[in-house]
Amino acid sequence: MTFVKAAVAAAVLVVANISFAADGSERSISQNADFRESQAALKQHREMHETLAKEGRQSDKTGSVQATN
């Protein structure tokens, strides 16, 4: 009878560890997805600023050319 109790207790611990590990991996996957989304948004924001800066430089050059004419 003691052997059966020990086996049941061990089985309960194994199932608990497996379910905890599965929960942790799901949480990790969702955190990774959030991280990827935030990185994509940051990249898009950076590209927008680079584009605006290039357009600003081009308009500055055009303005200086017009001023000298």
Side-chain angles (χ1 to χ4, degrees):
M1 198 61 155
T2 304
F3 176 75
V4 173
K5 288 181 183 178
V8 169
V12 167
L13 289 175
V14 167
V15 169
N17 284 332
I18 290 172
S19 66
F20 179 75
D23 180 47
S25 65
E26 288 174 9
R27 200 173 318 121
S28 177
I29 289 168
S30 68
Q31 287 172 349
N32 286 340
D34 291 343
F35 178 75
R36 283 192 298 271
E37 288 174 5
S38 67
Q39 290 298 309
L42 181 61
K43 181 180 178 187
Q44 184 179 14
H45 186 77
R46 188 178 305 124
E47 289 171 351
M48 179 191 67
H49 278 281
E50 289 172 356
T51 302
L52 291 174
K54 286 178 186 175
E55 289 175 0
R57 279 187 236 121
Q58 289 174 353
S59 66
D60 288 346
K61 289 178 185 176
T62 305
S64 65
V65 169
Q66 289 175 352
T68 57
N69 286 338

